[in-house]
């Protein structure tokens, strides 16, 4: 793939990340946002071109990346597809896929080659090496799948192909929305305690608090969308409550035998993951990069 890349929402966090990524790879990049002055300023700082509108940005682009908020992305995909050259490529990077895939399918019918991409990292990632990128085919165009895979694989990314939006959102309920939820809950609980948690924390708290604090450093509007727009997550939350009630009951009843049974069964299931055996050692290695105690 060669030529000019347009990033819609190129003023945002991931848009800027992708602009830098493509500039480094030698592409000519143009970005758009809603406010031309802000777009021009950010484009200058990135060393890329600024477009006055989304239409102008995509006009001569070989590849268009839609990096706008989740709810806005389907509308933008439909808008830009009308102005793109036939045969050029369009992908979104939204964290919830249900609605974007419909818009990408419509664009595909208009002669635009589409695919859906989900980078499983945030704008803090220094590079893409060892980072996971999910690709969801929108059509049976294997060429576009190959081209986009190569774009990321060349830089060391791990590519996972997911068959459709439904599977993506179901899996993301567990791998994205649930960890966020658990950390938000943990943050709410510890911040409502009337002592300084970090001061009394040991090893587990040090890493847990770091993850929670990094979650709370993110954009609340993106995080609320990930919690609320993924219909599979509301189903998972019902299971969350059922499992929590079950555990609470075991603890309240001081039922050690049942607790150990649940613990062992879950451990057996988790230990099927090859990473399990090294988890404890890796935990201590990770701790070395965290300042555990305020001295
Ligand atoms: N942040 C992450 O960790 C992460 C990770 C993976 C995937 N994603 C996905 O990446 C996408 C962007 O997320 P983000 O964190 O980069 O959000 P963000 O910082 O809020 O960026 C979104 C950008 O979209 C632009 N925008 C909004 N409406 C627009 C329109 N009509 N035309 C053109 N631009 C428009 C905004 O630019 P102006 O304000 O300048 O108009 C804004 O800068 C989301 O779909 C998200 O699910 C995010």
């Amino acid at each position: 793939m060669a030529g000019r890349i347009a990033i819609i929402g190129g003023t945002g966090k991931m848009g800027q990340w992708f602009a830098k990524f493509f500039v480094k790879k030698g592409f000519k990049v143009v970005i758009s946002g809603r406010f031309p002055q802000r777009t021009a300023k950010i484009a200058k700082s990135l060393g890329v071109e600024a477009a006055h509108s989304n239409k102008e940005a995509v006009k001569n682009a070989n590849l268009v990346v839609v990096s706008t908020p989740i709810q806005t992305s389907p509308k933008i995909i439909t808008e830009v597809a009308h102005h793109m050259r036939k045969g050029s490529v369009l992908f979104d990077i939204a964290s919830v896929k249900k609605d974007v895939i419909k818009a990408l399918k419509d664009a595909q019918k208009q002669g635009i080659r589409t695919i859906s991409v989900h980078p499983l990292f945030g704008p803090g990632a220094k590079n893409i090496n060892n980072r996971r990128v999910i690709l969801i085919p929108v059509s049976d165009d294997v060429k576009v799948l190959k081209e986009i895979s190569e774009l990321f694989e060349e830089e060391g990314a791990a590519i996972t192909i997911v068959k459709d939006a439904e599977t993506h959102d179901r899996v993301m309920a567990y791998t994205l929305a649930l960890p966020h939820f658990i950390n938000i809950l943990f943050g709410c609980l510890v911040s409502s305690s009337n002592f300084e948690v970090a001061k009394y924390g040991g090893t587990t708290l040090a890493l847990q608090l770091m993850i929670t604090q990094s979650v709370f450093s993110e954009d609340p509007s993106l995080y609320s969308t990930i919690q609320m727009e993924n219909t599979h997550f509301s189903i998972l939350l019902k299971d969350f409550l059922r499992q929590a009630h079950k555990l609470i009951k075991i603890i309240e009843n001081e039922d050690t035998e049942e607790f150990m049974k649940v613990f062992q069964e879950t451990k057996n299931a988790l230990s099927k993951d090859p990473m399990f055996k090294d988890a404890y050692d890796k935990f201590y290695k990770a701790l070395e990069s965290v300042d555990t105690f305020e001295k």
Side-chain angles (χ1 to χ4, degrees):
M1 179 168 295
R4 185 175 158 93
I5 297 182
I7 303 176
I8 314 300
T11 51
K13 291 182 284 297
M14 289 306 282
Q16 291 190 45
W17 190 95
F18 273 98
K20 287 181 205 151
F21 174 78
F22 287 123
V23 165
K24 224 168 157 187
K25 279 179 82 68
F27 291 100
K28 211 162 174 257
V29 174
V30 55
I31 64 166
S32 70
R34 284 165 302 177
F35 313 105
Q37 258 188 336
R38 175 174 140 81
T39 309
K41 199 172 158 204
I42 293 173
K44 196 173 169 203
S45 74
L46 293 168
V48 301
E49 204 182 306
H52 287 94
S53 65
N54 297 338
K55 180 180 168 183
E56 184 192 309
V58 305
K59 210 169 49 192
N60 296 312
N62 308 61
L63 169 64
V64 173
V65 179
V66 173
S67 179
T68 50
I70 298 170
Q71 304 99 315
T72 322
S73 293
K75 199 174 126 252
I76 306 252
I77 291 168
T78 308
E79 176 203 333
V80 297
H82 287 302
H83 304 291
M84 286 174 63
R85 289 200 303 227
K86 302 272 178 267
S88 53
V89 176
L90 166 64
F91 72 72
D92 75 292
I93 60 156
S95 309
V96 181
K97 294 300 190 187
K98 154 174 80 69
D99 295 330
V100 288
I101 295 279
K102 288 181 202 144
L104 289 172
K105 281 192 171 149
D106 288 343
Q108 181 84 25
K109 285 182 200 146
Q110 294 167 40
I112 309 301
R113 301 165 62 223
T114 64
I115 186 161
S116 194
V117 174
H118 188 185
L120 292 188
F121 53 85
K126 286 208 166 51
N127 56 53
I128 207 165
N129 192 34
N130 277 333
R131 302 274 77 88
R132 191 180 302 283
V133 177
I134 285 183
L135 301 183
I136 309 170
V138 171
S139 68
D140 52 11
D141 182 349
V142 286
K143 206 169 149 230
V144 75
L145 180 65
K146 188 169 174 283
E147 279 170 13
I148 301 301
S149 291
E150 281 172 5
L151 208 55
F152 298 123
E153 261 172 344
E154 280 164 6
E155 308 305 319
I159 301 290
T160 300
I161 298 168
V162 172
K163 73 176 165 84
D164 53 30
E166 152 90 17
T167 310
H168 171 274
D169 290 355
R170 187 159 40 77
V171 170
M172 284 304 127
Y174 283 91
T175 60
L176 197 60
L178 182 62
H180 290 175
F181 180 84
I182 290 170
N183 279 287
I184 293 164
L185 189 61
F186 182 74
C188 291
L189 287 168
V190 295
S191 62
S192 65
S193 65
N194 54 6
F195 60 93
E196 257 183 82
V197 182
K199 233 179 192 160
Y200 302 94
T203 49
T204 307
L205 191 275
L207 280 190
Q208 177 58 66
L209 196 58
M210 185 191 67
I211 297 172
T212 300
Q213 286 169 340
S214 79
V215 164
F216 279 93
S217 310
E218 297 277 1
D219 177 5
S221 117
L222 171 64
Y223 272 50
S224 70
T225 315
I226 291 171
Q227 297 289 300
M228 294 172 201
E229 286 289 311
N230 186 343
T231 46
H232 292 271
F233 187 53
S234 51
I235 301 166
L236 178 56
L237 275 181
K238 294 195 177 70
D239 199 31
F240 177 93
L241 269 182
R242 197 180 54 75
Q243 299 266 13
H245 282 310
K246 184 179 156 191
L247 258 183
I248 291 168
K249 215 166 151 200
I250 292 171
I251 294 163
E252 281 176 351
N253 291 342
E254 298 181 19
D255 188 347
T256 311
E257 201 180 312
E258 187 58 21
F259 184 91
M260 284 172 48
K261 187 171 161 253
V262 170
F263 196 97
Q264 191 56 49
E265 281 171 3
T266 309
K267 180 178 172 177
N268 291 345
L270 289 176
S271 59
K272 287 185 187 135
D273 179 355
M275 304 281 271
F276 187 94
K277 66 175 180 11
D278 298 326
Y280 193 76
D281 290 345
K282 282 187 176 161
F283 170 84
Y284 273 92
K285 277 217 177 84
L287 263 179
E288 286 165 17
S289 68
V290 178
D291 287 329
T292 319
F293 300 115
E294 242 178 68
K295 290 187 183 124

